[in-house]
Amino acid sequence: MNNAIDISRMRDPSFTAEVEAQSGQKVSTCYQCGNCTAGCPASFVYDRQVNQIMRGVQLGLKDQVLNSRSLWMCLSCSTCSLRCPNDIDVAAVMETLRHMARKEGRVTVPKVEKFWFSFLDTVRRFGRTYEIGTMALYMLRSMRVFTDVDLAPTALAKQKLGFKPHVTPNGGAEAVGRILKRYEERAKREGVRP
Amino acid sequence: MNFAYYPGCSAAGSSADYEMSTRAVCRALKIGLQEIPDWNCCGSTPAHAVDTELSAALCVRNLDLAARMDAATVVTPCPSCLSNLKHAGKRMENPDFRARVNELLDNPAAETLPEVTSVMQGIASCRSAADIAANVCKPLKGLKIAAYYGCLMSRPAGLMQFGDPENPTLMESLLAACGAEMVDFPLKTECCGASFGIPERPMTAINSGRILEVASNMGVDAIAVACPLCQMNLDLRQKQASKAVNVFFNMPVLYYTQLMGLAFGFDPRELGLHKLCVSADPLLQKLDGLRREEALAEAKAKAAEGGNA
Amino acid sequence: MPVLNGKELRIVGFLCNWCSYGGADTAGVARAGQPTDLRIIRVPCSGRIDPLFIVKALLNGADGVLVSGCHPRDCHYSAGNYYARRRLEVLKQFLPVLGIDDRRFEYTWVSASEGQRWQHVVTTFTDRIHKLGPAPRLEDAEPLLKIADMALTSLRPLGTGQNAALDDLKAAIKAKLPELDCVIGWQQGYDAAHTVPLFMRTPEDVDKLVWGPFNVNNPATYLPSFKGKKVGIVVKGCDSRSVVELLQENLIKREDVTIFAMPCQGTLDMARVNQELGRYSAIDSVSYDEAGVTIVADGKEHRFCMNDYAQGKCYGCTTPSAVLADTRLGTPEAVQPGAYTPPELAMLDAMTLEERLSFWKGQMERCLRCYACRNACPMCVCRDYCIAESREPQWMTQEATAKEKLFFQTIHAMHLAGRCTGCGECQRACPVGIPILALRQQIARAVAQLFDGYKPGLDPEAVPPLLGYELEEKNIHEREWK
Amino acid sequence: MSIIRFVNTDGLPAFLAYLSKDARVLAPVEKPADKKSVVFEEWTQGKPFTLEKATVPAKEAVLPQCETLLTYKRDKDPEDPSRVSLKLDDIPQAVPTVVFACRPCDARGYVTLDRPYLQGPMVDPYYKARREQLTVLTLTCPRGCSTCFCHWVGGGPSSPEGSDVLMTEVEGGIVLQGLTPRGDALLEGSGLEDGAARFPDAEAARKAAWATLNKAPDLKEAPAKVAARFTDVDFWEKETDRCLSCGACTYFCPTCYCFNITDEGDGYLKPGRRLRTWDNCMSPLFTREASGHNPRTAKALRMRNRVSHKFATYPENWGAFSCNGCGRCISNCPVCLDIRAIVLDAVNAE
Amino acid sequence: MRIGVFICHCGSNIAGTVDCAKVAELARAFPDVAYATDLMYSCAEPGQAAIEAAIHEHKLDGVVVASCTPRMHEPTFRRTVERAGLNRYMFEMANIREHVSWIGKDKEANTNKAAELVQIAVEKLRRDKPLSAKSFDINKRVLIIGGGVAGIQAALDCADGGVPVVLVEREATIGGKMAKLDKTFPTVDCSACILGPKMVDVAQHPNITLYAYSEVEDISGYVGNFTVKIRKRPTYVDWSKCTGCGACTEKCPSKKTPDAFNEFTGPTTAINIAFPQAIPKKAVINPEHCRQLVKGKCGVCAKVCPTGAINYEMQEEIVTEEVGCIVAATGYDLMDWTVYEEYGGGKYPDVITSLQYERLLSASGPTEGHILRPSDGKEPRNVVFIQCVGSRDRSIGRPYCSGFCCMYTAKQAVLTKDHIPDSQSYVFYMDVRAPGKMYDEFTRRAIEEYGTEYIRGRVSKIYPDGNGHLVVRGADTLMGEQVEILADLVVLAVGVEASKGSPQLAEKLRISYDSYGFFMESHVKLKPVETNTAGVFLAGVCQGVKDIPASVAQGSAAAAKVLALFARDKLENDPQIAAVDVKRCVACGKCIRCCPFGAIKEVEFRGEVKAQVIETVCQGCGVCTSTCPQGAIQLAHATDNQILAEVNALCQC
């Protein structure tokens, strides 16, 4: 059996075009120097390196790219964009891919998305975040025990973690709630995953 | 000089010390910080990781409130908030994007949104090195300090306008004005991985470890930071980082405002130094020692002069 | 030859031989498919392209004109495209005032190796022209007539200048007269409500000199005809700018000209004054006060307050006193430059492109081609050899169509680019009152915007902007071909 | 007694409509402009017109600014493209024309133009065709004007020369007086009310106009005196020092008749046109020869030609000045050059 | 006029999408066209013969050929019509291939467009006038600017061909960059050993006049007759007396003078001779560091000089030379790599350029050929080479490949191993570009025999670890991993840019240059040595990056161009130039101000000032024509009336 990627069949130029359009970046200018990978602080937890993601986009290999774990591990630090010799905003491409993946329901690293949702839930409820709330929600969602349990004593002692939710005083929380609600409604209307 | 002020969520929690010291320093420098009433979370990484328009909507609500205060400039201490607010402001220049964002908001955003900048740049924009030095009563002279900016403050360069994105020097100039000896810290803009501190701990620890390692190799007394996430990462998670790179650290990680505050003569508690996980006490003792010696030497010199006279 | 019906629009291209023509060749060699509308005229250099070729094409039926040359720095002739860049940009900013959509004209730089870019440029431009559709023709426009709003506020107080030191001036001229061939000034015309140029050769002539708001003529117009002779000239501030511009262009020599200056408080818009006076058989009296003139004609009194009846240019004047003089009498008031759009231009600014085309159609119809506009212009130094009336080269036909007449005005305006001081003599001289100054004003505005507020006729040493260039033009940017 | 009709002011459009039934009517139209600008334009139903003296003369009716004399087309032999045949097409363009409300000076202009164009050794067929179909309705002037001097040169505010109908404004309307059979016929068919009763008013108005004129100098000696100045170049230089050499004076003159002929187009793919356009003796091009030589390079020499022609040579040939004193050359001159002053200087010169 | 029109099929190249017979038929209706036909291949011999025959048969006095671009065959057809007895300028071309048949598929539209292009060519031709060239004398001397290996080669070849050469070198010695190299690839032979003899030849050749430490100040004139002003900078040493003995350099007390020849890797003395093989071997005082010149006291060199050559009062001097043509061989400089803040921006002493490394390797360098790292003078163990620093990097405006870095990096890796056998070299590269003779074999040797580790990927960051090493963090894209190397020394293969001052020199030469300062050749493929200014030729890297063999080859090629030009006794100008109609000219001087070539002057004509075109200088750009408001100056064959006729033919429909 041949496991090679059949490029002639799997290549999807419209995917490349879509990424270029959404990110505003011309992916074809990438010549695979690897500088993005070289500077990436998250490189060692990626399943595909940034330059390989870029290559996948160039080739139009949508599944390989959108199913990659790397999209979810990107820290958005923009080091790749900063040092790209072809001035590609690689971080924007990564973010675009993440949005595309999410909207199609491809969430390869659910814990990351769960963390985001926990965070946004806090924001929705209180208008602002507070660490304990986010963590609690995250633990509930990810079914993981307190990941940073070793830090808790120090953090608590130093009052590093807010126990009280910070609530916006004058109806801001409600306003934020409405923003999130409208966003979710619109996403549903447009058929994407909120 | 007055700025509209966006403290950011961590100001009330993990970076209460940043908040305390920022307010103290600005008070000393007679810079007014008018908190945007009823501000909300900028959405941080999760919001923009989920959707750009959502992220912008959360930010624009704050900018719109600031616009209603007739503020020309909003300052914020947190680079993450800064980045989000700036991105949102920039993107709102695109009419299509603006329309989409307005759909999410209660009322359409003001046509002209205020500029956003960091507190650090806000200070530098209206106070010269001499102004700062004039407030110093306890110079940091003799303290070797590495300035660490993290990844967000200077990037993307075009948007953030924070000097050379590889080698910003603003924090150095502020702290140098307070007398500190600033080392040329090569990893000043490397990412510490903090935004994944919760879901992806090992990655964060390794990145932080590298930063702490080079800093301690350079023999600095402390790392100065400007980002609540970086601070939490390098300070609270210092032990995790130690484990990850197998080197023991005992490196105080202070907000630059705390250092400035010390130089301005504020009480360490007023600056929230007690909230640091890696204690700054040895640092404070060293500083007191240095100043004492200096005073002694000066007194001696004076005495000698007087004797001659 | 007719444009292919329905398929094509008429697009004329001017391409330099070395880069862009080669770029189009390269595109051809690469079989880079393009729309077929474009017809390429090959010229040696983009610097060879007289902007008037482009206007000619656009007025005569072209729907679009595309110019392409070597990239800045790459000119085969080292600098031709730098000159072209300035001229073409000025043209681009000028076209709308005629009622021509400036999107119908574009210029760009394509090198001989940039076949792909050429394909992109042609495709984009042709697409743009097709979106705009066939160009509206002047011939088809419905005449539209409008008058500029002359209710203006001036940057400085206007007056009649009756306290001017006229006697001192006369004495100064008399003292200098022996060294000079003549001194140009003003004297009373056929009645006390009109002045005409005066050429003083004797002390008695000097006694005829008058000073006041009727001194509308720009005496600088006569200076080039005195080439090689020593001549004196009495100037208002605006006139002095013409003198300076003539100096800038080496059309007269500084050592040949002696300039006498008095601060001007404004001159009357004789068109409106005559309109108000109507047909009269005799002037009974003309009396002045600080603010205006009172004329009694055939027993009827007419009051002309300077603030209401000054020439359009006086309201925005920032040089009431000469910018250059040998003898100055009186102290000029300092004027703070302020925002000022000339009334004629303001009127056109408020119109749509279509209205502007209709406007010029309506205006130019009554032009008799007497060329008073040209001959009154102090900067028109070709005069005997004006290209409007020559066959070698033949830019115009002798037909009395609005198109030809408007084209002449365009020639005049383009030839004045970066040179026109806005003295307004062209419009003042027009016997049928066509507001042609607006075209020159638009050029002047474009020049000021492009070249850091450059105003002609302020500095004898300044190089007129269209006779120079910068390697990097601060205010001219290559348009993106998106 | 000629035919007299009266039209009240409100009836003028109907009268014009009557005139335009069988003819092109040229009437004065005021153009909205900063400067007073009244031109003759073809009148059509509903178009506003004015009774003011036009800025331009009514010369256009017989001698257009630009006319196509003929068109020509070159055709190639399809068998042998080097063989070309030339086809000429005369342009029949004279149409019956009525000039409405020109002034006596304009009407006298036609008489001045008739002499060289119709009475000389060569008859100009184009002019002739138009002139023969021309009807002139002249409005007498109500008063003199600072730039007018018709009475110096044999005319006056109600001079009938060249007119078919003389119209005079009276209270409430206009009295129309037929002067020629053509004028009479036109009035008879007009259906206007009889105006005999108002004719005394008209006569009074004409008389009143004469009374506003200043005293005319005696120009009997002018032809000889002007001719005598011919060699006095200094005189002409002094008189013309402020002249700009533009064409305003000639183009606005009802008696200037010089023209230029140019061919436009080669006639190959579309017909070429042979154009006749006004020429301008104040332009250096007027006498520039094919070699480039120009006998009149200086404006003084050109002005000498212009004034001499009007006040010396034309009178010598035709017994009348070729100047009707309309004053348009003065009022339209950008530098108010005054032909009266030149002539008087010549007459008064030693 | 009797015009013949020939529509070329170009096989099916044109005829495939243009109805050529129809175009010929339409052309018969155009003015003055007496004959029109279509031809299969007009440029082939039968086609040209048919044109000639038609000229005779139909008594044609002008010809239009509609075929390919005039940039291809205009000269061909001009010769054709000339053979048939017509003036060669009574010819126009319509480009119906590149501009019509090859870019459009719609045959109807193409045919119509082709006919219109023929029509405008006919309209232009109808207004053409026969032109004839003027001939003028040539001054058979050549100026060569730049004494690097390309300039040296050009100078020697010209001089050997009997042409007097004026060689101007900005530095105190000729030799250029090659003189700084230790060894050359792929033979690894000693640079100085192969260049040295050529330099000596320059010094000794009777036909060569060398101006070292001099620069070209101004150039005027035109091909065959240039006048060049050369600015001789003060050396403070009378070179006619200096013997190069070196006594002064030994005694000079200013021993901390920066050494530009050694790329600032070590100090030198204020008075010095760049290197032992310098030509001319003469001393030069660096006035910024000479105690006598700065403080007015010292004078040691004057005291020790055995020939009394020291002259502290020396001033700069301008000399004028007359030449017939010019070769520019100004070479290159390394770009300012300190814009790479991620590599330390120049802060780390042990991050050096490849050219600095050459000086460390060279026996005549500051370390006498020992590789010692600048920070502590220790021998490095791990040496990291980084390619493409300032090459192929759009983000800093250097998108081009510097061409020879791949090869010299391999050479330096090899030499590193030779010098320090227990060292390990690493090369971060994107692609290895080794297309020359023996080149790829050489890089393979570096890897296979010398154990150089090639890592495919760019380096993101270099930073000191605080323990005396540099951390080089890059990627190995082949592994798909981020990698780090703890390096002792990092050598950057810094990209090449045009030599400093190139744009200014180009403006003096009136040649064009690209956005990086490289001089523009006349045709990128077919005229790589010529420029658009007649009589100015290019050699070496000033035209574009190239290695030593290519530079030498182009030096010789430029010499061949010079010798070919000088083989003629007279030169002819292109008569398609501007001319003034003195009747129309009012002497306003606008044309003079705008002429890019200074080709218009004021003359007195019958007592009046008029403009006049200097026929041998005018290049025919036409800026004057579009500048002259009264149309008094017209460019032959692009007159206002010609362009207007073309516009009118296209518009006015």
Side-chain angles (χ1 to χ4, degrees), chain B residues 111-124:
Chain B
E111 273 307 311
T112 318
L113 297 171
E115 291 289 310
V116 190
T117 190
S118 61
V119 169
M120 201 192 294
Q121 285 163 293
I123 292 174

Side-chain angles (χ1 to χ4, degrees), chain C residues 276-291:
Chain C
E276 162 69 23
L277 289 173
R279 284 169 66 75
Y280 59 82
S281 25
I283 296 285
D284 303 325
S285 71
V286 176
S287 53
Y288 299 87
D289 54 58
E290 294 251 311

Side-chain angles (χ1 to χ4, degrees), chain D residues 99-118:
Chain D
V99 170
F100 174 78
C102 67
R103 297 296 174 116
C105 48
D106 288 320
R108 288 190 78 214
Y110 298 127
V111 178
T112 315
L113 299 178
D114 286 346
R115 295 182 187 113
Y117 277 127
L118 301 178

Side-chain angles (χ1 to χ4, degrees), chain E residues 344-389:
Chain E
K347 283 182 301 204
Y348 310 139
D350 294 334
V351 178
I352 62 172
T353 71
S354 47
L355 210 48
Q356 289 174 324
Y357 197 55
E358 289 289 342
R359 295 315 298 153
L360 295 186
L361 290 168
S362 170
S364 69
T367 55
E368 293 171 341
H370 300 292
I371 306 174
L372 303 174
R373 64 180 202 166
S375 62
D376 52 12
K378 285 187 189 148
E379 244 182 20
R381 285 293 166 271
N382 286 338
V383 181
V384 173
F385 295 91
I386 304 178
Q387 304 265 51
C388 300
V389 178

Side-chain angles (χ1 to χ4, degrees), chain A residues 29 31-44 49 51-52 79 82-87, chain E residues 342-343 391-396 429-431 456-461 473-475 477 479-482:
Chain A
T29 55
Y31 56 32
Q32 286 294 315
C33 69
N35 207 343
C36 43
T37 299
C40 180
S43 137
F44 54 92
Q49 294 303 331
N51 68 298
Q52 295 172 322
T79 308
L82 175 65
R83 295 188 187 143
C84 175
N86 293 309
D87 274 341
Chain E
E342 61 266 44
Y343 297 168
S391 299
R392 302 176 67 194
D393 190 341
R394 257 184 249 224
S395 66
I396 56 151
Y429 74 103
M430 292 198 287
D431 302 289
R456 197 207 167 279
R458 260 191 191 268
V459 167
S460 175
K461 182 139 184 111
R473 195 196 308 155
T477 61
M479 279 293 286
E481 294 284 354
Q482 199 175 64

